Amino acid sequence: MNNLRPAQALNLRPAEAADVAAIHTLLKSYSDRGNLLPRTDKDIATNLTDFCVIVLSSQIVGCAALELFPNQLGEVRSLAVDKDHTNAGFGSLLVQHLIEEARQRGLSRLMALTYAPEFFHKLGFRTVPKATLPEKVWGICVRCYKFYNCDEIAVLLYL
Ligand SMILES: CC(C)(COP(=O)(O)OP(=O)(O)OC[C@H]1O[C@@H](n2cnc3c(N)ncnc32)[C@H](O)[C@@H]1OP(=O)(O)O)[C@@H](O)C(=O)NCCC(=O)NCCS
C-alpha cells in the first residue's frame, strides 16, 4: 500500500444525498467495463444509508456499501476507487471501515463477489464456493443477469 495520504487530508464519512451523482459516476466508470454491477442513481439514492465515501479535496475518490442479509451476513458492495487514486490505500480503508461497521451491527460474516480476490485476501478474506452463501445467491444473484454465467469470485471474512 503506497502513497497513503495523511489521515487529516481524508474524510471517510457516510454518504449524503448530494453525493448520489458522484457515486453513480464513479460506479459507472467501472460498470461500463464490466468490473462492477451497474447501479442506477435511483437505486443508489434508495440505499444511500448503506454507502460510505472517501472525500479528498472535495472530490469523492472512493465509495463502498454494506448490504445486510439474513443469518448475520453482510456484503461489501459497490466498492470503487477513482482510477486516478488507486493503490493509495483508499480501497483498504473503505473495506476496513465496513468490517468495523459490520462488527458493530453484530454481523458474523462479511462477503464480497469480486474480480479482485487478491485485494480482499490481503484484508483477511478467503475465497469460498458461492454455494456456501445461499442468502446472497438465492436471495439476490438469482435475479442478476449474470446468474447463469457469473464469473465473480466469492470471498468471505468471519468477523
Ligand atoms: C479493487 C479496488 C477497490 C482497490 O482499491 P485501491 O484503493 O487501489 O486498493 P489499495 O490501495 O487499498 O490496495 C491494497 C492492496 O491490494 C492490492 N490491489 C489493489 N487492487 C487490486 C486488484 N484489482 N487486484 C489485486 N490486488 C489489488 C494493492 O496492490 C495493495 O497491495 P499492497 O498492500 O501489497 O501494496 C480498486 O482497484 C477498484 O475500484 N477496482 C474496480 C472495482 C472493483 O473491482 N471493486 C471490488 C468489487 S467488490
Side-chain angles (χ1 to χ4, degrees):
M1 211 187 300
N2 299 319
N3 307 320
L4 189 61
R5 268 73 169 176
Q8 63 271 21
L10 292 177
N11 185 10
L12 198 169
R13 60 163 172 76
E16 299 168 356
D19 302 329
V20 170
I23 293 171
H24 182 250
T25 300
L26 179 53
L27 294 180
K28 192 171 185 308
S29 70
Y30 286 109
S31 62
D32 280 351
R33 296 175 173 205
N35 297 122
L36 280 180
L37 288 179
R39 295 189 78 163
T40 63
D41 48 5
K42 183 180 172 195
D43 178 26
I44 294 164
T46 304
N47 296 288
L48 195 62
T49 54
D50 293 349
F51 278 88
C52 59
V53 294
I54 287 187
V55 183
L56 182 68
S57 304
S58 304
Q59 183 199 348
I60 289 182
V61 295
C63 68
L66 176 63
E67 187 161 321
L68 305 187
F69 290 95
N71 301 324
Q72 295 167 287
L73 176 68
E75 180 185 9
V76 176
R77 271 200 79 184
S78 301
L79 168 66
V81 173
D82 178 80
K83 291 186 179 70
D84 292 337
H85 293 87
T86 53
N87 293 311
F90 296 158
S92 300
L93 279 179
L94 286 161
V95 174
Q96 283 159 352
H97 176 80
L98 293 190
I99 290 171
E100 190 51 38
E101 188 179 336
R103 286 194 174 117
Q104 285 175 7
R105 286 170 174 249
L107 302 186
S108 61
R109 297 171 298 154
L110 188 61
M111 59 152 291
L113 288 176
T114 185
Y115 292 113
E118 297 86 357
F119 164 79
F120 283 94
H121 293 166
K122 289 182 176 175
L123 293 164
F125 289 73
R126 291 291 167 259
T127 294
V128 295
K130 290 189 195 104
T132 62
L133 302 166
E135 300 89 347
K136 169 71 179 178
V137 173
W138 296 111
I140 302 293
C141 295
V142 71
R143 298 198 295 270
C144 176
Y145 74 96
K146 283 186 175 180
F147 182 62
Y148 291 104
N149 294 301
C150 179
D151 52 357
E152 292 186 293
I153 308 292
V155 293
L156 180 69
L157 175 73
Y158 283 94
L159 299 168

